[in-house]
Amino acid sequence: MPSTDSTGPSHTATPTAAALAAAPTAAASSSAPPTADRPIRTQARQAVERAWACAIAEGRLPPLPEDADTPTVDIERPAKPEHGDLSTNLAMKLARPYRRAPLEIARVLADELAREAAEAFNGPLTTPLATAEAVAPGFINLRLSDGALRATIDRILSDPGSWGRVSVPHPQRINVEFVSANPTGPLHIGNARGAFVGDLLCRVLEAAGHTVTREYYFNDFGAQVRNLGASVWALATGKPVPEDGYHGAYVADLARELPAEVRAAAEAATATGEDLAWAVGAWASERVRAGIEASLEHLGVHFDAWKTEGSLHREGWVERAIEKLRAAGHVYEEDGATWFRSTAFGDDKDRVIRKSNGDYTYFASDIGYVEEKFSRGFDHLIYIWGADHHGTVARVRNAAQAMGHDPARVEMILVAWVRFIRDGREISMSKRSGEFITLDELLAEVGVDAARWFFASRAYTSGIDFDIELAKKQSNENPVYYVQYAHARIASILRKAAEAGLSPADSVGGILAGAPEAALARALVRLPEVVEDAAAAEETQGVTAFATDLATTLHAFYRDARVIDRAEPERSRARLALVLATKTTLANALGLLGISAPESM
RNA sequence: GCGCCCGUAGCUCAGUGGAUAGAGCAACUGACUUCGGAUCAGUAGGUCGGGGGUUCGAAUCCCUCCGGGCGCGCCA
C-alpha cells in the first residue's frame, strides 16, 4: 500500500508551522515597544545579567575566579506575593566562589538593578523591573513595572495569534513517532495515553519554535496481518474464527464488508494454494488502518507520515544499516544468527539482528528505521513508547550510536500505564479476545476536551487509575470546564459591552495601577515562559496549572472590578482591553493543548 | 535475582535544590434586586513510604530498607 508511505515533506507545512514563520514579522510590525518581543522573564534575566556585569565593571564585585563555573541566572516565581513578581538566587550561588556573604552580594546586585530601573523611568524602557530588593538569606526580589506589563498586554492585543509562541535559540526539525499500534483492530483505551501525550508534546514543541513531524509506524506484512485475514475469511465463509485468531465484533463487520474482488482473489488463492490469509489480511488491515486514522483525527491528532515496516525492507534501509554496523565492526555471526554487539555500548547482552532461519528481527527494522529517519534531515528523534518497552531503549540508542549518530538525538519517552477500572474491577484488554473498549467509545462517554485535560495535567511517568464511571460522573466537575467557563464569561462580557456601545481600547493605558487589574495583568503575561518551560521539560502539566490559575484570577477580577460601565467609558474600554487579552491568553493556552475555547457554554 | 518507573491531604494528582509543601474533587461555614452561581469568600485536612547521609537550605540529590507496577526472547 504505497499510498500510506507518504513521508514526504509536503505534509509538514502545518498551519502551526506557518503561524510560527509569520510570527517574527508580525511582532516587528506591531506598535509595541521592543521590550515586548521577548518573554518578560527573559527580560528580567537579562537585566540581572547586566547588573552583574556592571557590578564587575565598576569593581563592586570581583571577576569570577578562573577555576569557578559560571552559574546560570535563574529567575523564579516566588510562592508568596510579598516576595515580588520574580526572584533570583544568583547571590547565593555566587557566595561560594566569591567567598562573600550572599546577602552582601545581593545588596550590590539589587543596587545596580534599582539604578537601571530609575534611569529607565526617565528614558527609553530597557528594563521590565520597577524595584529590586535584597533579602535574607540572599534572594533578590523583583517587581515588574507597569510599563513592561502594559507593553506586553498591548502586544497581545495587536497580535493575538502569535501570543504564547516563542523561539528557542536553536530550533530543530523533530520527528515524533507515537501510537504506532499495528492495524489488526481499532484503537482501544490502552492506546489513549500515548496518543494524547504524543500530540501534546508535538504541540508544545511547535509553540517553542521547533518543526515537528508526527509519525505513525506499523507492521504491514507480519503474522498478525495474516492472522487477521484468516479470522475475517473464516467468518466470511461461515466458519468459526480460529482459536488463536481475532474475535472482536469488528472482525464480523470486516467479513460482511469484504468486497467481491477481494473475495474472488481469496478464492482463487485457495484454488492455487497461494496465501489467501495474506490476500484478505492486506485488505482488512488497510481498512482497519483507515479507521484508526479517522479515530485519531476525531481526537484532534493528525499524523503527517504513515510509515510501514515493509517499506524499510523494500527500500533497503535495513540492509544498509546492518552493513554500516558491520563496516564499523559492531556485527558478528554466531550460532547461524547475525548479532549486534550492544554490550560494547553498555547493554547487558548482545542482540540478534537476523535469526538463524534467515528472518530479520523487529530490532533489525528499528535499526533501519533510525537510518531512514535521519536521512530525511531530522535533528532529533523522539519515540513515545509504553513503559513496558523500556528494555528496548538501550539497544536502539546503542545501534544509533554505533552507526555514527549522536545518541542524545535519539530519545525515548516512556509513558506509564493506565489501569482502566469499571465497577471496582480492572478491565482486561485483549485484541485477540475482543474484550476491549475502543477509544471512540471512551471519548463518546467523557468527551475529547475532558480527556485531553486529564492526560495533559498528569506526568507521563506516573501510573494512573482511570475509573470510567467516575470519569463520567466527574465530567461536569472537570477543571477543564472551569477554564472554559472563564473564557465563555469574557466572551459574554464582550457581547454585552458591544450592545452597550463599548468596544475594547487598543491599549490598557494606565489602568494597571489598580489592584484588580495589576493582579490579572501579572497572571496573564506568563504564557510565553510557561510554553518555554513546557517545551524544555517535555511536559504539559505547567500549562494546565497556568490556565487554571489564570481562570481563578479572572474570576476574582470579575468580582472586584466592574468592566461594563457607561458612566466611565474610558476606564471601561481599557478594562475591556484587559479582559480581551485574558480571553486571548486562555484561548491560546487551551489551543496549545488541543482543547476548544467556547464563546458560550 | 538484576534493571527501570512510582510512593505527597480522605480521593485523583502537581511541585524534582530555595522562602510557611499546593490544586481539583469530596466535607463543612458563608455570599446574589447589578456585566454568566459551571462563580466567589472562608474552615478543616500532611511523620512528602521508613531510616541514614550531602548541603547555608532536601518532597527534590546520594545510600539503604519497605510497598506497588513494568521489563529481563533468535516475540512483535
Side-chain angles (χ1 to χ4, degrees):
Chain A
M1 60 199 84
S3 65
T4 57
D5 287 335
S6 56
T7 55
S10 60
H11 289 88
T12 60
T14 64
T16 318
L20 269 173
T25 319
S29 66
S30 82
S31 60
T35 49
D37 289 348
R38 286 158 289 145
I40 217 158
R41 183 179 61 180
T42 305
Q43 299 174 43
R45 179 185 302 114
Q46 290 166 342
V48 172
E49 286 166 350
R50 279 197 301 274
W52 184 17
C54 285
I56 292 172
E58 294 166 8
R60 301 181 69 188
L61 287 175
L64 263 190
E66 295 277 334
D67 55 342
D69 293 331
T70 304
T72 56
V73 177
D74 293 325
I75 303 293
E76 299 170 336
R77 189 66 54 171
K80 289 287 189 180
E82 57 265 35
H83 291 142
D85 299 318
L86 299 166
S87 72
T88 180
N89 62 356
L90 178 62
M92 285 185 280
K93 287 184 174 179
L94 290 173
R96 185 183 296 274
Y98 278 167
R99 305 183 65 82
R100 285 170 70 171
L103 187 56
E104 191 185 327
I105 299 167
R107 287 206 178 99
V108 172
L109 294 172
D111 198 42
E112 294 285 349
L113 286 164
R115 201 172 65 188
E116 187 184 58
E119 287 166 4
F121 189 76
N122 297 317
L125 195 60
T126 56
T127 176
L129 304 175
T131 64
E133 185 188 8
V135 297
F139 290 105
I140 304 169
N141 293 335
L142 311 170
R143 198 162 287 280
L144 295 167
S145 71
D146 287 354
L149 293 168
R150 174 180 169 178
T152 299
I153 294 166
D154 289 354
R155 171 253 170 276
I156 300 172
L157 296 169
S158 64
D159 186 14
S162 72
W163 170 239
R165 302 201 169 274
V166 296
S167 200
V168 292
H170 303 290
Q172 298 195 309
R173 291 193 59 198
I174 303 175
N175 178 286
V176 182
E177 183 209 312
F178 59 113
V179 186
S180 295
N182 277 339
T184 53
L187 291 181
H188 53 79
I189 52 181
N191 302 117
R193 195 174 193 181
F196 284 123
V197 166
D199 182 66
L200 287 161
L201 174 63
C202 289
R203 287 169 184 269
V204 161
L205 292 173
E206 285 171 337
H210 300 291
T211 302
V212 175
T213 294
R214 291 167 172 79
E215 187 142 326
Y216 191 118
Y217 172 63
F218 63 98
N219 186 317
D220 61 336
F221 72 97
Q224 293 182 57
V225 171
R226 192 167 280 113
N227 198 351
L228 176 67
S231 300
V232 170
W233 185 246
L235 288 180
T237 53
K239 292 194 279 281
V241 171
E243 194 155 325
D244 60 350
Y246 292 94
H247 292 80
Y250 68 93
V251 179
D253 294 338
L254 288 167
R256 247 191 317 279
E257 295 161 10
L258 195 65
E261 61 268 28
V262 177
R263 180 180 284 270
E267 279 162 355
T270 313
T272 59
E274 283 173 32
D275 194 341
L276 110 144
W278 171 249
V280 177
W283 169 83
S285 71
E286 169 52 23
R287 184 69 182 243
V288 170
R289 190 209 64 80
I292 287 173
E293 184 167 15
S295 292
L296 289 165
E297 294 283 352
H298 182 234
L299 301 193
V301 183
H302 175 78
F303 280 88
D304 304 301
W306 296 76
K307 190 73 186 172
T308 66
E309 187 177 359
S311 72
L312 296 174
H313 288 279
R314 287 195 300 275
E315 295 166 15
W317 292 107
V318 175
E319 282 190 27
R320 279 196 295 277
I322 293 170
E323 285 317 304
K324 200 169 174 182
L325 288 174
R326 197 188 301 277
H330 299 302
V331 167
Y332 63 92
E333 310 289 331
E334 190 173 292
D335 300 333
T338 305
W339 298 71
F340 167 59
R341 204 183 301 279
S342 195
T343 49
F345 300 87
D347 204 349
D348 47 11
K349 60 182 71 169
D350 290 339
R351 306 293 173 176
V352 173
I353 299 172
R354 191 170 197 176
K355 305 182 218 174
S356 51
N357 70 3
D359 289 346
Y360 288 105
T361 62
Y362 189 82
F363 175 50
S365 304
D366 280 340
I367 298 171
Y369 201 7
V370 167
E371 276 298 279
E372 194 277 337
K373 282 179 178 172
F374 276 122
S375 79
R376 277 185 273 156
F378 292 110
D379 304 305
H380 196 79
L381 310 182
I382 297 179
Y383 297 76
I384 311 282
W385 285 349
D388 56 333
H389 283 68
H390 66 77
T392 63
V393 170
R395 76 192 64 162
V396 175
R397 300 186 76 220
N398 289 348
Q401 186 178 0
M403 289 187 292
H405 303 293
D406 179 357
R409 292 171 180 266
V410 180
E411 180 182 3
M412 285 76 177
I413 286 179
L414 300 174
V415 178
W417 257 186
V418 184
R419 292 199 317 156
F420 287 87
I421 314 269
R422 197 192 285 275
D423 301 328
R425 291 216 320 270
E426 181 175 359
I427 300 169
S428 68
M429 300 288 291
S430 167
K431 262 189 202 177
R432 285 277 173 86
S433 69
E435 291 171 20
F436 59 84
I437 299 172
T438 66
L439 201 46
D440 292 339
E441 288 164 347
L442 176 75
L443 271 288
E445 294 196 57
V446 298
V448 174
D449 286 347
R452 275 187 172 272
W453 185 277
F454 181 85
F455 290 110
S457 60
R458 285 152 172 82
Y460 57 74
T461 50
S462 292
I464 291 179
D465 281 357
F466 194 117
D467 187 317
I468 293 179
E469 297 302 323
L470 206 59
K472 276 166 66 180
K473 243 183 288 178
Q474 288 183 347
S475 63
N476 287 332
E477 314 294 334
N478 193 303
V480 71
Y481 297 114
Y482 178 79
V483 176
Q484 289 180 322
Y485 179 74
H487 183 270
R489 188 177 228 181
I490 295 172
S492 173
I493 292 171
L494 291 167
R495 283 193 299 268
K496 274 264 168 34
E499 289 168 15
L502 289 166
S503 61
D506 293 334
S507 168
V508 290
I511 61 165
L512 300 183
E517 289 87 349
L520 185 53
R522 283 172 163 75
L524 69 90
V525 296
R526 289 181 50 208
L527 180 61
E529 58 201 67
V530 168
V531 173
E532 278 181 350
D533 291 346
E538 298 177 338
E539 292 271 14
T540 50
Q541 305 93 277
V543 181
T544 55
F546 166 77
T548 304
D549 181 66
L550 181 55
T552 297
T553 311
L554 181 276
H555 289 309
F557 175 81
Y558 177 85
R559 182 193 66 226
D560 295 334
R562 178 89 198 173
V563 177
I564 300 172
D565 186 357
R566 281 199 185 85
E568 296 205 50
E570 283 316 302
R571 189 175 69 178
S572 189
R573 293 188 65 228
R575 282 180 171 172
L576 283 166
L578 182 60
V579 297
L580 178 58
T582 306
K583 179 170 179 277
T584 296
T585 306
L586 288 170
N588 290 8
L590 289 171
L592 187 58
L593 305 173
I595 296 172
S596 66
E599 295 292 310
S600 64
M601 297 174 68

